[in-house]
Amino acid sequence: MKRKADKASRVAKGQELEVEHVVEVTDIDPKQARTLLRRHGADWPKLKDEAEDLKKED
């Protein structure tokens, strides 16, 4: 079961393109983009809102 938890905590290999896209569109760092994708999946409006909030905090 620990293996399942490890998999869930990482962005899948195919999702790396999504990470790159989020980074380009929102200007946040890749680590933050991975975290947002794990939390919200492909909910792009939510991802954009959360990324904007992160940028405001910096």
Side-chain angles (χ1 to χ4, degrees), residues 2-3 6 9 14 18 20-21 23-27 29-32 35 38 41 46-47 55:
K2 185 176 182 183
R3 187 175 182 156
D6 289 342
S9 68
E18 290 180 343
E20 290 175 16
H21 180 72
V23 168
E24 289 176 14
V25 171
T26 61
D27 198 34
D29 68 58
K31 185 177 179 180
Q32 291 172 318
T35 300
R38 279 193 300 268
K46 183 69 174 174
L47 287 171
K55 285 180 13 180

